[in-house]
């Protein structure tokens, strides 16, 4: 199948499927300037060991190092704007061609693009909480302390250490993961966008879809099960071409919402 035929096939899948979802990973945000974890040459995991840098035991054992790494990741989010793929997914939802987006990303760019139904299975950077007493704070509480030199940031109520509301290695999955699991039961079409599909249990979600489409520039372990694999172009271009075939004007959809 040529690339153009694949885009037309994806458009047909979307028009025919009654219940479609997208499942995104870090690759959907690389064109917004945020590095992913596993891209060859540029992925963050080429420089650090994830279990050492982003696990719950790392936070407990070496909080100062944990926060240095974590705030470095956070800095890459500053000023990042949604790209064509995020806007196209938001537009597909508005047009009722997509029921929602399940994302492994913590960058908030799907919401910023205007997507309404978003399940963030690895959490987000809008809040943080105390490891000792569980008191909830806006993320800025953690950020302000870190910036003013308090590392690790502390709970103002009990002095315990604050942690971001993201799912770390060794953490249990949050509520959004189970909601996504439920939403996907009976789902006809799942479009994976920019994920290596190597992080479990999130990477088990594709098994729930009747038809799987994978938009990823590198091969994934799920390619053999997919009805369509689109790896010829970057996600931003793939979705721009898809929207052209569907006749949808999508850029800036978030500002119209
Ligand atoms: P990953 O890094 O394991 O895989 C990303 C995949 O996207 C790679 O296979 C890469 O080839 C592909 N890719 C990169 N840019 C692309 C593009 N423009 N178009 C198409 N494909 C592209 O990411 P993952 O599977 O999401 O797993 C990593 C974990 O890291 C996730 O759980 C996520 O929580 C976290 N993470 C999040 C962010 C973020 O919030 N933006 C950034 C880094 C890591």
């Amino acid at each position: 199948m040529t690339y153009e035929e694949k885009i037309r096939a994806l458009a047909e899948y979307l028009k025919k499927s009654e219940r479609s979802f997208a499942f995104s990973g870090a690759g959907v945000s690389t064109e917004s300037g945020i590095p992913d974890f596993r891209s060859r040459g540029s992925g963050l995991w080429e420089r650090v060991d994830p279990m050492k840098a982003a696990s719950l035991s790392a936070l407990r054992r070496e909080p100062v190092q944990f926060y240095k790494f974590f705030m470095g990741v956070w800095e890459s989010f500053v000023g990042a704007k949604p790209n064509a793929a995020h806007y196209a997914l938001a537009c597909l939802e508005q047009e009722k061609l997509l029921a929602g987006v399940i994302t492994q990303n913590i960058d908030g760019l799907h919401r910023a693009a205007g997507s309404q139904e978003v399940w963030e299975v690895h959490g987000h950077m809008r809040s943080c909480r105390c490891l000792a007493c569980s008191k909830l704070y806006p993320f800025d509480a953690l950020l302000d302390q870190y910036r003013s030199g308090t590392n690790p940031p502390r709970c103002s109520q009990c002095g315990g250490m604050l942690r971001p509301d993201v799912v770390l290695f060794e953490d249990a999955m949050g509520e959004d993961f189970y909601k996504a699991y439920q939403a996907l039961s009976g789902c006809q079409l799942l479009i994976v966008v920019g994920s290596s599909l190597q992080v479990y249990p999130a990477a088990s979600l594709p098994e729930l879809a009747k038809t799987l489409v994978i938009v990823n520039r590198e091969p994934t372990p799920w390619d053999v099960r997919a009805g369509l694999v689109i790896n010829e172009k970057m996600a931003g271009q793939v979705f721009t071409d898809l929207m052209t075939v569907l006749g949808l004007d999508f850029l800036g959809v978030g500002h119209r919402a």
Side-chain angles (χ1 to χ4, degrees):
M1 227 189 231
T2 65
Y3 169 73
E4 288 73 21
E5 285 167 340
K6 288 183 182 181
I7 298 296
R8 283 198 292 276
L10 175 53
E12 285 308 308
Y13 276 145
L14 272 166
K15 284 195 266 185
K16 284 183 186 149
S17 158
E18 275 175 25
R19 211 166 148 66
S20 306
F21 290 87
F23 177 46
S24 70
V28 78
S29 295
T30 55
E31 291 169 77
S32 295
I34 300 176
D36 63 11
F37 278 173
R38 289 180 186 77
S39 272
R40 273 178 236 126
S42 60
L44 282 168
W45 283 168
E46 296 212 337
R47 284 175 272 143
V48 286
D49 173 351
M51 294 310 284
K52 282 196 183 141
S55 63
L56 191 56
S57 50
L59 172 60
R60 289 187 193 278
R61 213 177 37 241
E62 293 181 336
V64 174
Q65 287 307 320
F66 172 92
Y67 269 105
K68 274 188 187 160
F69 167 77
F70 187 79
M71 296 318 284
V73 173
W74 186 87
E75 290 297 344
S76 73
F77 293 5
V78 178
K81 300 260 184 318
N83 64 54
H86 296 105
Y87 283 121
L89 292 169
C91 179
L92 289 171
E93 183 188 347
Q94 263 189 12
E95 298 294 327
K96 311 246 180 290
L97 289 167
L98 205 62
V101 180
I102 297 148
T103 187
Q104 300 168 82
N105 295 345
I106 55 173
D107 57 31
L109 291 182
H110 286 297
R111 288 177 197 273
S115 285
Q116 304 289 314
E117 293 290 347
V118 183
W119 291 274
E120 295 163 312
V121 298
H122 288 160
H124 53 76
M125 309 271 260
R126 293 186 295 278
S127 57
C128 60
R129 66 188 63 232
C130 174
L131 265 178
C133 73
S134 300
K135 183 172 163 57
L136 189 67
Y137 294 88
F139 190 76
D140 279 354
L142 181 159
L143 198 57
D144 291 347
Q145 285 195 48
Y146 184 83
R147 281 181 170 158
S148 62
T150 307
N151 183 12
R154 296 275 172 193
C155 173
S156 58
Q157 184 170 270
C158 77
M161 206 154 57
L162 295 183
R163 58 154 299 165
D165 269 342
V166 301
V167 176
L168 302 171
F169 288 102
E170 301 158 357
D171 263 333
M173 296 301 281
E175 198 185 343
D176 271 23
F177 175 74
Y178 298 99
K179 284 187 181 161
Y181 208 90
Q182 271 182 338
L184 283 180
S185 308
C187 147
Q188 283 181 328
L189 175 65
L190 183 66
I191 308 169
V192 174
V193 191
S195 176
S196 62
L197 296 176
Q198 287 181 35
V199 180
Y200 279 82
S204 65
L205 292 175
E207 76 188 4
L208 298 169
K210 287 200 182 86
T211 303
L212 189 61
V213 173
I214 298 181
V215 179
N216 200 64
R217 76 175 168 203
E218 286 166 352
T220 82
W222 282 92
D223 289 4
V224 285
R225 155 81 157 74
L228 205 55
V229 177
I230 305 179
N231 51 18
E232 291 85 346
K233 298 195 179 178
M234 302 288 236
Q237 189 61 52
V238 169
F239 279 89
T240 301
D241 295 337
L242 173 69
M243 302 307 271
T244 304
V245 167
L246 288 167
L248 295 172
D249 170 22
F250 69 103
L251 283 172
V253 71
H255 306 295
R256 290 204 309 265

